[in-house]
Amino acid sequence: MDVTRHLDLRQRIEDGRGEFLLFALTPPRRATSTQRAQEIAEATLERLAPLDLDGLVLYDITDESDRNPDVRPFPFLPTMDPAEYLSRHLDRWTRPVVVYRSVGKYTESDLRSWLDDQDPDRRLSVFVGASSREQATATSLTRAQEVRADAAPGLLLGGVAIPERHVRSGQEHLRMLAKQSAGCSYFVTQVVYDVNAAKDLVSDYHYECVDRGIAPAPIVFTFSVCGSMKTLEFLRWLGVDVPRWIQNDLRHAADTLDASFEQALAMARELVSYCRRLGVPFGLNVESVSIRRAEIESSVALAARLLEELDRVRHS
Amino acid sequence: MDVTRHLDLRQRIEDGRGEFLLFALTPPRRATSTQRAQEIAEATLERLAPLDLDGLVLYDITDESDRNPDVRPFPFLPTMDPAEYLSRHLDRWTRPVVVYRSVGKYTESDLRSWLDDQDPDRRLSVFVGASSREQATATSLTRAQEVRADAAPGLLLGGVAIPERHVRSGQEHLRMLAKQSAGCSYFVTQVVYDVNAAKDLVSDYHYECVDRGIAPAPIVFTFSVCGSMKTLEFLRWLGVDVPRWIQNDLRHAADTLDASFEQALAMARELVSYCRRLGVPFGLNVESVSIRRAEIESSVALAARLLEELDRVRHS
């Protein structure tokens, strides 16, 4: 694949053009051997090679059980630091990578030196704040945003946007605009299963941007297939609102994975056409929340399918 | 129009076939003169004549301000009794009519004698209970259902189904099944603007029917256009949940009426395809909630458009 054929991710974000596709990975468990981690990375890149992705996303997992008193459906196992996984095992990947940073885990000087080292043509970041007020934080989200503006103003920073939070507060669009003032130039949602909530957020954000005379930043919608009720339970534990009818459909489907694939596709289409109608730039992101082979393969197939929904006219 | 071409409304309900279209009218104000009421009825029938409707719906309006402490956006003006409006002014209409009965307004003997007089091939009814516990009731919904079963077992009785109530309680599907046990053979929703809530209700109802080995009764979804923010406010006052993004779209639309027409059509399509997928029979109903000419004409156009969505293969 020839990278120069692309309007690259950075340009699509900076121009407010959107229409890009990302694929999100969770780094292997921290206990994984170096050799095994390399095998996982190689296998992942091989799976993704046929896809014309605009970039990867690497999550920075924290134990969120302080946020949610319910029993976690899967045990929490610490994962490798995404920046380390990237530098040690994913060097073959030449396109951009969005590296998540749970900023509370890092000291200010660690964050600063990491930012200093990044090439803004190939690296972007999303800063995530503490998952609850109780969590001990080395660096606050606000301070991390200041450090980025100072140390790496050219590195594109994204913020998290959560439609479910908008349902409760009606204020998430204002939080997005505050993040934008603090330097964010795009947003990434958690996994979307409640399209209505996502449309509510896009709509309020859009009209607030219009009122303020601000250009909307691209919103990246994350989708995930779900191959079992256990995965569904995990999604809900993570704070994803799954409408009753979707839960019922998945529970009763002859093939849960196929059903969730179709639902993710339908949701993405609805959001794509809604964003285009409003003129809000968007990206799509596919996340595999499970490590089961069938679910991973279905995620790759979903990404391939979503690419067809995007307006990918080349500007070579 | 040749009525024999049709599978009639009764058969479509009794066979659990659905795929029918109704148009809902509110009778004129009680203060309307006989002559003016006749003119209104004639004009209405003329407007509806080109449509291949399966039946009319006549609402029985009560002052619901005891249910809602907020100021009513439009003043409450008592309307003619639907049964009287029908018998005095709509005798030219030869197809079936679904006559709503706010049963709390009638004594048991009044209800019984009205039921006695109805031809079950041309009349159906929907019984509506009191809108709040505070409302004085001459006959309870339960008693009215018993009277119907005794006096007019052949007259198809419908029940009200409210997706918004399902959002709050998660129990509306069980209420529907209780009404079915009490003789209801179809359901009619209030105006739908929250498709997700409607799908949640259909889904829970469907799977509960499967669990109990009961055939689902047709659910009639009601749609309405909305030509102004005042009408939108009224819909919300009536208890219709309108998602934020739809409110925003209508508020900012170049033409609110056109935008709401497109939204109603999109919602109907989504529910039609969802019900077909689950095998839940359904009907569609168009209600004009305003008396403005443009909104009435748009309602008729919506009904014409919705007819195209139905599977109307003739069995002549």
Side-chain angles (χ1 to χ4, degrees), chain A residues 166 170 173 193-196 199-200 203-204 207 211 243-246 248-250 252-253 263 270 274 277-278, chain B residues 166 170 173 193-196 199-200 203-204 207 211 243-246 248-250 252-253 263 270 274 277-278:
Chain A
H166 196 57
H173 62 306
Y193 268 89
D194 186 344
V195 176
N196 235 32
K199 285 166 94 169
D200 283 351
S203 174
D204 281 339
Y207 288 111
D211 281 352
R244 285 283 301 173
W245 70 269
I246 294 187
N248 287 343
D249 276 8
L250 294 179
H252 293 89
Q263 276 162 347
E270 189 169 344
Y274 186 66
R277 180 153 71 76
L278 290 189
Chain B
H166 196 57
H173 62 305
Y193 268 90
D194 186 344
V195 175
N196 236 33
K199 284 166 95 167
D200 283 352
S203 174
D204 281 339
Y207 289 112
D211 282 352
R244 284 283 301 173
W245 70 270
I246 294 187
N248 287 343
D249 276 7
L250 293 179
H252 294 89
Q263 276 164 347
E270 188 169 345
Y274 186 65
R277 179 154 72 77
L278 289 189

Side-chain angles (χ1 to χ4, degrees), chain B residues 149-189:
Chain B
D150 179 49
L155 182 116
L156 294 188
L157 181 66
V160 169
I162 303 191
E164 281 84 349
R165 210 150 56 187
H166 196 57
V167 171
R168 326 263 182 259
S169 73
Q171 306 281 308
E172 186 71 1
H173 62 305
L174 302 178
R175 286 177 78 147
M176 289 166 69
L177 282 157
K179 286 178 182 175
Q180 224 166 315
S181 302
C184 286
S185 53
Y186 63 101
F187 297 95
V188 186
T189 72

Side-chain angles (χ1 to χ4, degrees), chain B residues 42-111:
Chain B
E42 299 288 338
T44 304
L45 294 185
E46 198 166 325
R47 267 204 190 92
L48 300 180
L51 294 174
D52 190 14
L53 293 172
D54 293 285
L56 288 183
V57 172
L58 287 181
Y59 289 128
D60 192 0
I61 305 297
T62 50
D63 182 2
E64 299 203 348
S65 48
D66 55 334
R67 197 186 64 174
N68 188 334
D70 298 339
V71 176
R72 204 175 196 278
F74 294 114
F76 174 69
L77 293 167
T79 52
M80 292 178 64
D81 184 279
E84 284 176 24
Y85 180 54
L86 173 59
S87 62
R88 289 186 192 160
H89 301 290
L90 291 170
D91 46 306
R92 264 179 53 210
W93 179 261
T94 53
R95 293 197 181 167
V97 181
V98 179
V99 183
Y100 270 55
R101 309 266 69 186
S102 290
V103 296
K105 289 182 4 186
Y106 309 98
T107 65
E108 196 178 310
S109 75
D110 281 349
L111 263 182

Side-chain angles (χ1 to χ4, degrees), chain A residues 208-225:
Chain A
E208 188 70 27
C209 285
V210 170
D211 281 352
R212 298 189 188 185
I214 291 173
I219 303 173
V220 181
F221 301 102
T222 302
F223 299 95
S224 156
V225 296

Side-chain angles (χ1 to χ4, degrees), chain B residues 185-250:
Chain B
S185 53
Y186 63 101
F187 297 95
V188 186
T189 72
Q190 62 181 12
V191 170
V192 172
Y193 268 90
D194 186 344
V195 175
N196 236 33
K199 284 166 95 167
D200 283 352
L201 178 56
V202 171
S203 174
D204 281 339
Y205 174 68
H206 165 72
Y207 289 112
E208 188 71 27
C209 284
V210 169
D211 282 352
R212 297 189 187 185
I214 291 173
I219 304 174
V220 182
F221 300 102
T222 302
F223 299 96
S224 157
V225 296
C226 168
S228 70
M229 295 321 286
K230 187 97 180 169
T231 303
L232 181 66
E233 211 184 310
F234 184 54
L235 283 165
R236 296 181 63 199
W237 185 89
L238 287 170
V240 176
D241 279 357
V242 183
R244 284 283 301 173
W245 70 270
I246 294 187
Q247 293 182 45
N248 287 343
D249 276 7
L250 293 179

